[in-house]
Amino acid sequence: MTTRTRILIAVAGILTLAAAAMVYVGFASARNQDSAATGTVSLAPGPRILFRSTADADRGHLATVAAADPGGARTVSPISCSRVYAAGGTGLCLRPESGLTTYQLVVLDAGLTSKREIPLVGLPNRARVSASGRMLAWTVFVTGDSYNGGLFSTRAGILDSATGDLVGTLEDYSVFVDGLRYQAADLNFWGVTFTKDDNRFYATMSTAGHRYLVEGDFKAHTIRTVRDRVECPSLSPDGTRIAFKSAVDGDPGKGWRVSVLDLSSATVTPLGETRSVDDQPAWLDDHTVAYAIPRGRDHADVWAVPADGRGKSRLLMPDAESPAALSA
């Protein structure tokens, strides 16, 4: 075979590969266009699910999808957040303020207009809004606490959007453990969830090796322990149960199991998800719990599982995290 023939074959091969690449890119582009719905993202109550996209084309952007077809066409907004939640027509967006060194809390109305912005000290981790849209809570990771050797600690805060009252950290509340006043340097709070009265809430409090489910009173600035080994609580729409994660055998190094606590009977029901779930669960309705599971470095998927413990988990939304049912 002559040199000229080899060159011609090589050129032909390159052209073939280029043509194939163009076909693939065109197909992928068309597929992405098919998966995006036209319209405007709204946080108004309705049969939709809000989430944070982790898809390559719109990573970090807020998006919604029909609750009846969560794997279908999604509507994507131009707004990006590191963590998001919404209810009652109010949204809470935790996002970088400038670059990647500082963050801010942004209160959004139903049309995604910013109503208030508050600087945050720490890395955004959790976000919740009460069913009425009035109360907002967030959790951030911080460093510098002397008691933990420079490792991450958490700070949880609450904003009453109606009055403007702001609690920067729940560590300022009066704490009661088993009915007795309790003070300790290693108090950490995270994963707030609100009751329907917009005053009481549940959260996680860690201290002295315990991870307590606690109940708080916003107006009284008090917190009391409910039970041990409950993290990232999420109150069901009917207010009777709490979905949560708990460390396997009490050891976070072994991962977390998602379960549901019945508040009246204190019965704990492990759910059908056997993988480790490091997320604050979200109720889609009174019968279904959703959560995100990372996939690789930059991607995550939202899965759902029956809240009665009788069914298996199922993929709800690919390339998504921070789910919030706007109809709940």
Side-chain angles (χ1 to χ4, degrees):
M1 183 181 298
T2 65
T3 301
R4 183 173 182 276
T5 301
R6 291 192 183 97
I7 293 174
L8 290 175
I9 292 175
V11 171
I14 291 172
L15 292 175
T16 300
L17 290 174
M22 292 178 63
V23 171
Y24 175 80
V25 170
F27 172 77
S29 176
R31 182 177 60 184
N32 290 336
Q33 291 176 2
D34 289 342
S35 65
T38 58
T40 302
V41 170
S42 171
L43 303 184
R48 303 179 311 285
I49 300 174
L50 172 73
F51 62 95
R52 178 184 184 271
S53 174
T54 66
D56 290 334
D58 45 40
R59 182 175 295 113
H61 288 257
L62 305 191
T64 54
V65 69
D69 186 20
R74 49 183 62 180
T75 304
V76 180
S77 82
I79 294 178
S80 296
C81 302
S82 300
R83 198 76 179 183
V84 65
Y85 199 82
T90 300
L92 174 57
C93 170
L94 308 181
R95 70 185 185 188
E97 185 174 17
S98 60
L100 296 175
T101 58
T102 59
Y103 294 85
Q104 64 178 188
L105 177 160
V106 183
V107 181
L108 302 171
D109 66 11
L112 299 185
T113 298
S114 174
K115 306 301 292 183
R116 183 173 179 179
E117 298 178 357
I118 301 173
L120 289 178
V121 177
L123 299 172
N125 179 249
R126 302 282 184 252
R128 275 298 186 271
V129 179
S130 67
S132 70
R134 173 174 175 170
M135 309 298 291
L136 301 93
W138 59 95
T139 305
V140 296
F141 283 125
V142 297
T143 58
D145 289 338
S146 60
Y147 63 82
N148 70 354
L151 300 176
F152 278 113
S153 301
T154 57
R155 297 281 188 277
I158 297 178
L159 170 68
D160 184 337
S161 64
T163 64
D165 290 343
L166 173 67
V167 175
T169 173
L170 295 181
E171 295 173 20
D172 294 335
Y173 277 34
S174 297
V175 175
F176 296 84
V177 175
D178 298 329
L180 301 177
R181 182 66 185 272
Y182 182 84
Q183 291 180 306
D186 69 343
L187 287 176
N188 275 265
F189 294 91
W190 66 88
V192 176
T193 183
F194 294 99
T195 63
K196 288 186 177 180
D197 66 6
D198 278 339
N199 179 57
R200 293 182 304 118
F201 61 89
Y202 292 95
T204 306
M205 180 184 79
S206 71
T207 181
H210 295 272
R211 294 178 179 85
Y212 292 106
L213 170 67
V214 296
E215 183 178 6
D217 186 307
F218 182 76
K219 294 179 181 178
H221 283 208
T222 58
I223 286 175
R224 67 175 185 89
T225 56
V226 177
R227 64 180 292 145
D228 203 353
R229 296 183 63 176
V230 173
E231 298 183 55
C232 294
S234 181
L235 189 64
S236 61
D238 62 12
T240 64
R241 293 155 294 156
I242 284 180
F244 66 97
K245 69 172 189 176
S246 59
V248 177
D249 297 330
D251 181 5
K254 295 182 179 181
W256 291 270
R257 182 71 186 272
V258 178
S259 302
V260 166
L261 167 68
D262 186 292
L263 290 171
S264 61
S265 67
T267 300
V268 173
T269 302
L271 303 188
E273 176 58 79
T274 58
R275 293 170 295 180
S276 176
V277 177
D278 185 10
D279 194 18
Q280 183 174 12
W283 292 80
L284 299 181
D285 51 47
D286 280 321
H287 311 288
T288 312
V289 175
Y291 45 88
I293 292 183
R295 176 171 44 82
R297 180 179 179 180
D298 298 317
H299 296 271
D301 303 314
V302 171
W303 292 72
V305 66
D308 60 6
R310 298 179 182 179
K312 296 181 179 180
S313 62
R314 60 186 175 89
L315 178 62
L316 188 76
M317 298 184 295
D319 284 317
E321 60 185 4
S322 290
L326 298 179
S327 57

